[in-house]
Amino acid sequence: MIDEAERELVIVMAYFAPERDILAAIRHALKRGVKVRILISRSANYNNDTNMLTVSKLLGYRHVCSDGKTAGKLSVFLTDYMLHAKLIMNEKRVLMGSCNINHKSFNRLGELCIAVDNDSPFACQVRASVEELFRSSAQAENRRDIRFNPFMAAIEMTIMR
């Protein structure tokens, strides 16, 4: 779904520690001009430092292509809720289920997700719900807004393997 995104990519994730190929796909989407919005908990009950390290890395990516044209825009939002959602949306589909974007979910756990075409009434309801979550959250303007302990993030990422 990340590679399919042409205009928008929305990621709402409880535990967000993607492998390098996922980070590279998000970076490539930005270079293609895709508007990327990410929503995570300000303080997750598990792997919080890893979540923050991940979005800090993403906020550090340049948003200008090599040809000088402006690339897509990345926005990171932090919610005060203990967010437990696992959702990815682009302009074509909504994908949701139990799978976090991390190594453990992809390789060791029995996760399940469902994809729904964007034009379905159900997808419209999901989109409205997600937009409400974004409205009730605070945008992280830059990397200084993201606080984490790098040592704890390294330990969390080891445990998640």
Side-chain angles (χ1 to χ4, degrees), residues 27-50:
R27 191 168 51 241
H28 189 253
L30 288 164
K31 287 182 180 179
R32 291 193 315 271
V34 175
K35 178 182 173 185
V36 178
R37 293 187 300 153
I38 298 171
L39 177 65
I40 63 170
S41 292
R42 181 182 309 280
S43 182
N45 65 338
Y46 178 72
N47 289 333
N48 188 65
D49 290 294
T50 303

Side-chain angles (χ1 to χ4, degrees), residues 87-142:
L87 177 135
I88 299 176
M89 297 187 299
N90 62 25
E91 62 279 348
K92 298 172 187 170
R93 278 186 282 231
V94 175
L95 178 79
M96 61 194 144
S98 63
C99 190
N100 292 293
I101 301 180
N102 62 37
H103 180 82
K104 191 173 184 178
S105 286
F106 292 157
N107 297 295
R108 291 183 36 210
L109 302 175
E111 304 286 5
L112 180 66
C113 290
I114 185 170
V116 181
D117 287 338
N118 199 26
D119 58 357
S120 72
F122 179 73
C124 291
Q125 289 178 335
V126 169
R127 283 184 176 278
S129 178
V130 167
E131 289 307 317
E132 182 58 35
L133 285 172
F134 274 103
R135 280 192 295 276
S136 66
S137 302
Q139 185 171 355
E141 298 295 331
N142 56 56

Side-chain angles (χ1 to χ4, degrees), residues 1-63:
M1 285 192 60
I2 296 169
D3 290 337
E4 286 180 357
E6 295 172 2
R7 293 183 309 278
E8 74 165 336
L9 177 65
V10 176
I11 299 172
V12 179
M13 199 57 48
Y15 310 118
F16 189 40
E19 299 294 306
R20 288 183 185 173
D21 57 336
I22 302 288
L23 290 172
I26 293 170
R27 191 168 51 241
H28 189 253
L30 288 164
K31 287 182 180 179
R32 291 193 315 271
V34 175
K35 178 182 173 185
V36 178
R37 293 187 300 153
I38 298 171
L39 177 65
I40 63 170
S41 292
R42 181 182 309 280
S43 182
N45 65 338
Y46 178 72
N47 289 333
N48 188 65
D49 290 294
T50 303
N51 280 358
M52 295 301 166
L53 171 64
T54 300
V55 295
S56 179
K57 283 181 184 178
L58 289 170
L59 283 169
Y61 292 154
R62 294 187 182 265
H63 305 297

